[in-house]
Every structure is written in C-alpha cells, then in structure tokens.
Amino acid sequence: MSMTDLLYARAQMGLSLAFHIVFAAAGVALPVLMVLSDWKARRTGDADYVALSHKLAKGTAILFAVGAVSGTVLSFELGLLWPEFMGRYGEVIGLPFSLEGVAFFTEAIFLGIYLYGRERVSPGLHLFSGIMVAVSGAASAFFVTLVNVFMNDPSGFVATPDGPTQVQPLVAMFSPGWQYQTAHVLLSCYQASAFAMAGIHAFVLLRHPGAAFHRKALSVALPLACVTALLQPLVGDLSAKHVAKAQPVKLAAMESHFETERGAPLRLGGVTVPKALSILAFGDPDAEVRGLNEFPRDTWPPVAKVHAAFQVMVATGSAMALLSLVTLVYRWRKKAWPSGRKMMWAWLVAGPLGLVALEAGWLVTEWGRQPWIVRGVMRTADAVTPVPHLAAPFWTFTLVYLLLGAVVVALLKRQVAGTMPDRDEGPVTGRGVKEDDAHVH
C-alpha cells in the first residue's frame, strides 16, 4: 500500500462523511421542525402552518432518501477501505452499528406512515408517526456517534498482538465521554438545520416583507435555532474538558499549543488571553496544559489543519450564539420575533454558519485522532486495504456526490420556489410587516 493510496482512501472516506453528514443532520432535525409546524397547524387551524408541514415532510423525504444512499456507501467503504479495522474491531463495536440499523428502519417505516397516511390514519396516529420519525432519526445519529467515541477513546476490550480479547460490547459502546460527544453532535444537527431554514425564509422576507407564510416558517425555525446555539457552547465546553484529560495531544493541536506550561494562555485570532486555556481545559487558572512537544512527533495530528478547523468552529459557533442571544432579547422585549431588515440580513448571513460549524467540528474530531483509526491501538496506515489504485473509486464517488448534490439542490429549490409569493400578502407597515398580522408569536 503506497502513501498515495492511503491518502486516497482517507480522502474518499472524508468526502463521503462530509457529504453524508449534511443529510444526516437534516434527517435528525427536519422531522422536529415538521412536527412543530404540524402541531401548530392542529392547534391554530392556520393554512400556512399546514402548508409548511407538507413542505417540510417533502423535504424530509428527499433528504432521507439521499442520506440513505450516502449512508449505505459509507457502510460499504468501512469494510472495503478499512478491512483490518472492521475485521479486528467489528465484534467490539458491532452493537451500535446494529442498533443504528434498527433506528434507520424504524424511521423509514414511520416516515412512510407520515407521508402517505395524512388522510388515511387518525390525526393522533399521524402526529405520533412524525414524532417517531424525529426520535428514530436522533437515535440513528446517537448510535453512529458512539462508534466515533469508541475510535477516539476505546474501551471494553483488552488489546493483544492478535487482536482484542475479553470484549465487553456495552462498555465499548459507551466509551468515556460518550455523553458529551453525542449531545454535541445532536445539538449541531438541530442547530445547523434550523439556521439553514431560518436563513432561507429570511432571504424570502427580504424580497417579500409581507409574506405571511415565510414569517410563520421563521417563527418555527428561530426557537430551535436560538436554543441550540446557546446550549452548544456549554456542551462544547464539557466536551473540550474531556478531551483535555483523555486526549491531551488533540487538545494541544486544537489550540496549537507546543510547550507544556501552567497557567496556559488562550490564543484566538492573534489575541492572547492569559491563563484562559488552563481555565477552559481544567477549570483551574494554574493548571498544567501539556504541549505538543511532550509527545512523540509521529503521534501528532496535522496541527495546522486541526487548529484552523477548530478556530472556524469556535468563530462560527460564537457568532450564532451572539445572534441568538440578540434575537431572544428582542423576542422577550417586543413579544414578537424580529422582522426588520437588519435582523433578516443577519439571519440570512448566519444561515450557512451551522453547516460550516458542523463540518469544521467533524474535521477537528477526525483529523485530531490521526494517525490512529482506533486511538493508541491501531494506526490508520495499518487498517487500510492492500488493494491498489484507490484513485479510481475516489474520483468516481466524487462525481456521484456532485451529481447527487446538484439533484438535491434543484429539488429543494423547487420546494422553496413553490412558496414564493407573486406579491406581498397585504399592506405593509414601515417595519415591513402587514398591519393585520404584525407579530408572529
């Protein structure tokens, strides 16, 4: 196996994950937004909320289908590109993979009931099926994330030269730090999808300020976006504290911290905050933070990449949290969600930030674990397939993903275009809202 083939194998897996994670996130979050709009429709009888629940259901179906395809590709790639990993550790970490399969099929069944049973089953069963789609989607992401937790902090077995022994599947499934990483991932799914939805409807409202449908859609997206954006830094802090203790070399790469020191400063965008890294990592301003130079050079992750991805994640997360705080203060003071052009521009610009943060966070996790596929036990270079010429499948799947991505964008654009008003829906006040519907609570 040449180094070039190893890089192609890693690139193909990385590309597949980067593509799939967008649809996986939407598959987790859109059902929640779908159920919220459905519940509002049933409570108010408002035709706009009924239409919104229909649109979100169609969007969920489209993204679920593409997510199923890309997820299946990932399953095959695990076995074909990394046979040593699956051969040795499949029995250790097979349980969450199996449970993810159960969650996936459960989600598919209830999504079918929700999509095709709207007029055929009782309203209560229909709403329950939507809730089950949301629960199953979250469960699917939860179980897959547990596999990643294991790869970063393996447990539940005894390592020997011949492979793992004394396997404890439940211990392996709930490896140390599982609660932080799973919460971090699930929140990122809800946050990214809610911000994207808010950005889309803010864009329409900038062009058509009196569009009641889009203001109501924004009132569904904004609560989820704001709550998750404010919770995420808190969960992220807990996750980082665990990384500091369990994976100090990853923390050092994230912070580009080379020398071990007490009272370590935090460096963000060229600004140095004294002792802040020690406080954030250990809750103690005088705590010792180990630097990269304390670890063997061949165990370092790609420092520049990890550090850059971490900076992007923190910057975008902070921006979303700040906007969410401002939005909630406005909601509390005005008893209505923002509708002015400045706030709509802010939400339009912030719309993609959730996905950017999501991708950057996964890069931190994956790059930060290198050169290990199972940290401290199996190196990535030892797990890759011996089959040569891996450039061919890489470029083939790249073209497939580009085609799938273009199809999805076209379909979703068509869904949004179907709700674009031909004209503003009524007299508009100076703030850009109808006089008879000035507030969406």
Side-chain angles (χ1 to χ4, degrees), residues 35-300:
V35 168
L36 287 173
S37 60
D38 199 347
W39 175 74
K40 281 199 169 190
R42 294 172 190 277
R43 188 168 62 90
T44 64
D46 192 307
D48 285 330
Y49 287 121
V50 174
L52 179 62
S53 70
H54 279 271
K55 290 288 182 183
L56 287 171
K58 290 179 181 178
T60 298
I62 293 168
L63 295 171
F64 177 84
V66 178
V69 172
S70 57
T72 302
V73 169
L74 273 170
S75 299
F76 279 108
E77 285 179 347
L78 274 172
L80 296 175
L81 294 177
W82 313 103
E84 287 298 315
F85 166 64
M86 294 304 294
R88 286 200 171 216
Y89 292 96
E91 64 172 317
V92 183
I93 202 61
L95 183 56
F97 278 127
S98 301
L99 293 173
E100 191 277 334
V102 173
F104 171 79
F105 284 113
T106 303
E107 183 180 7
I109 291 167
F110 281 104
L111 181 58
I113 295 172
Y114 189 87
L115 291 173
Y116 302 110
R118 189 179 291 269
E119 307 299 333
R120 296 177 175 86
V121 299
S122 68
L125 178 57
H126 184 257
L127 186 62
F128 173 75
S129 66
I131 293 171
M132 286 304 297
V133 173
V135 171
S136 301
S140 185
F142 175 80
F143 291 125
V144 167
T145 304
L146 290 179
V147 177
N148 190 265
V149 174
F150 169 83
M151 295 166 73
N152 280 280
D153 201 354
S155 64
F157 67 96
V158 175
T160 72
D162 297 323
T165 61
Q166 301 179 37
V167 175
Q168 302 177 68
L170 280 176
V171 175
M173 186 168 78
F174 294 103
S175 291
W178 67 269
Q179 62 272 52
Y180 309 123
Q181 190 168 331
T182 53
H184 199 49
V185 167
L186 287 172
L187 280 174
S188 68
C189 292
Y190 298 127
Q191 182 180 356
S193 301
F195 265 81
M197 179 175 167
I200 290 169
H201 293 290
F203 169 75
V204 179
L205 287 168
L206 284 167
R207 298 178 62 188
H208 305 277
F213 172 86
H214 293 278
R215 285 188 286 108
K216 291 167 186 174
L218 199 62
S219 77
V220 173
L222 286 181
L224 185 62
C226 292
V227 170
T228 52
L230 292 175
L231 285 176
Q232 190 65 287
L234 302 177
V235 175
D237 178 64
L238 294 173
S239 183
K241 282 180 166 60
H242 175 74
V243 169
K245 295 175 182 176
Q247 304 172 65
V249 67
K250 179 187 283 190
L251 177 76
M254 286 160 57
E255 299 291 352
S256 194
H257 184 69
F258 287 88
E259 300 299 332
T260 298
E261 57 183 312
R262 291 188 175 276
L266 182 68
R267 300 174 182 87
L268 284 173
V271 177
T272 300
V273 183
K275 299 193 175 186
L277 181 56
S278 291
I279 294 172
L280 289 174
F282 298 102
D284 179 358
D286 297 315
E288 180 182 88
V289 179
R290 299 171 70 186
L292 285 163
N293 290 333
E294 190 169 321
F295 302 92
R297 185 65 181 81
D298 65 349
T299 64
W300 287 17

